[in-house]
């Protein structure tokens, strides 16, 4: 849907739109403890609104970030390494052919691999901090006397193994064995 909106509205960079969804989340609830006769703050599964921010980022390309609207305001960022690689190759002036999430042709495979390897050395807390500030602009105000930054972890990650054939006839010969 976001890609369709981007195409219709001619969005080439920046925010495409924000979609919402009510989902389960980890949040907190005040619980009356009968034994201690005190109020406790306990973590619970709750339903809350999530905001899905779809955008075309100048560095990462098409992406989305999801923020929970209840405390603790968790954020998930979804990036595509090939989308990012296409941006890197564009900036480097490299020639390539792209079909969806695939590069069937790259003029300089070694150079493309070096760009891709550079993604592994990303300082993620530094790279994601501006995104977190944009998604949650009142974060600093809410936590004023207790400043804290987001703690980033990898929730899901996918690794792809791409095989390149320099000669089409080699692929034609092996293809029946590679695809059942």
């Amino acid at each position: 849907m976001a890609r369709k909106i981007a195409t219709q509205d001619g969005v080439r960079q920046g925010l495409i739109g924000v979609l919402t969804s009510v989902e389960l989340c980890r949040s907190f609830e005040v619980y009356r403890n009968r034994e201690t006769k005190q109020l406790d703050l306990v973590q619970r599964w709750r339903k809350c609104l999530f905001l899905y921010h779809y955008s075309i980022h100048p560095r990462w390309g098409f992406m989305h970030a999801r923020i929970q609207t209840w405390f603790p305001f968790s954020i998930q960022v979804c990036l595509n390494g090939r989308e990012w690689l296409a941006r890197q190759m564009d900036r480097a002036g490299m020639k390539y052919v792209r079909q969806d999430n695939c590069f069937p042709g790259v003029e300089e495979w070694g150079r493309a691999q070096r760009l891709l390897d550079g993604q592994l050395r990303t300082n993620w807390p530094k790279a994601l901090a501006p995104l977190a500030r944009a998604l949650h602009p009142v974060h600093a105000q809410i936590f004023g006397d207790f400043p804290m930054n987001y703690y980033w972890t990898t929730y899901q990650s996918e690794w792809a193994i791409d095989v390149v054939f320099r000669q089409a006839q080699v692929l034609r010969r092996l293809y029946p064995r590679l695809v059942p």
Side-chain angles (χ1 to χ4, degrees), residues 44-110:
R44 298 243 193 258
W45 283 102
R46 320 254 333 241
K47 285 185 184 178
C48 82
L49 185 68
F50 284 87
L51 305 176
Y52 287 79
H53 294 249
Y54 287 86
S55 62
I56 301 175
H57 191 274
R59 180 178 185 183
W60 299 312
F62 182 83
M63 61 165 292
H64 80 268
R66 167 188 184 254
I67 184 166
Q68 176 177 314
T69 60
W70 286 18
F71 187 83
F73 311 108
S74 62
I75 294 174
Q76 288 183 348
V77 178
C78 298
L79 306 173
N80 181 314
R82 288 190 178 100
E83 181 80 19
W84 184 2
L85 178 60
R87 294 267 167 169
Q88 290 176 290
M89 290 191 296
D90 288 342
R91 278 193 298 281
M94 295 173 60
K95 294 180 182 175
Y96 64 92
V97 175
R98 182 175 178 186
Q99 292 175 335
D100 294 321
N101 201 35
C102 180
F103 297 107
V106 175
E107 188 175 58
E108 301 174 65
W109 288 104

Side-chain angles (χ1 to χ4, degrees), residues 3-180:
R3 287 188 188 274
K4 183 178 177 182
I5 292 168
T7 301
Q8 287 174 345
D9 293 353
V11 179
R12 301 182 61 76
Q13 188 167 308
L15 184 66
I16 298 167
V18 179
L19 304 177
T20 63
S21 176
V22 175
E23 303 173 20
L24 283 177
C25 72
R26 296 290 290 178
S27 189
F28 296 90
E29 184 174 82
V30 176
Y31 170 73
R32 186 181 308 232
N33 188 326
R34 290 185 178 142
E35 292 175 18
T36 65
K37 302 206 185 305
Q38 298 213 356
L39 297 177
D40 292 335
L41 189 62
V42 293
Q43 197 175 63
R44 298 243 193 258
W45 283 102
R46 320 254 333 241
K47 285 185 184 178
C48 82
L49 185 68
F50 284 87
L51 305 176
Y52 287 79
H53 294 249
Y54 287 86
S55 62
I56 301 175
H57 191 274
R59 180 178 185 183
W60 299 312
F62 182 83
M63 61 165 292
H64 80 268
R66 167 188 184 254
I67 184 166
Q68 176 177 314
T69 60
W70 286 18
F71 187 83
F73 311 108
S74 62
I75 294 174
Q76 288 183 348
V77 178
C78 298
L79 306 173
N80 181 314
R82 288 190 178 100
E83 181 80 19
W84 184 2
L85 178 60
R87 294 267 167 169
Q88 290 176 290
M89 290 191 296
D90 288 342
R91 278 193 298 281
M94 295 173 60
K95 294 180 182 175
Y96 64 92
V97 175
R98 182 175 178 186
Q99 292 175 335
D100 294 321
N101 201 35
C102 180
F103 297 107
V106 175
E107 188 175 58
E108 301 174 65
W109 288 104
R111 191 171 172 203
Q113 184 63 56
R114 286 189 297 278
L115 289 173
L116 197 56
D117 291 343
Q119 293 180 7
L120 299 174
R121 292 183 292 279
T122 298
N123 179 337
W124 287 107
K126 184 178 178 183
L128 294 174
L131 183 62
R133 283 191 298 276
L135 290 170
H136 193 208
V138 296
H139 180 87
Q141 183 181 346
I142 290 171
F143 298 101
D145 291 337
F146 306 97
M148 61 181 71
N149 295 320
Y150 275 94
Y151 178 80
W152 298 100
T153 61
T154 301
Y155 177 68
Q156 291 180 342
S157 181
E158 177 182 307
W159 289 83
I161 298 173
D162 297 336
V163 180
V164 176
F165 294 89
R166 295 188 191 282
Q167 299 173 339
Q169 66 268 21
V170 174
L171 174 59
R172 273 191 223 99
R173 190 178 75 243
L174 293 174
Y175 190 76
R177 289 188 259 170
L178 296 173
V179 179

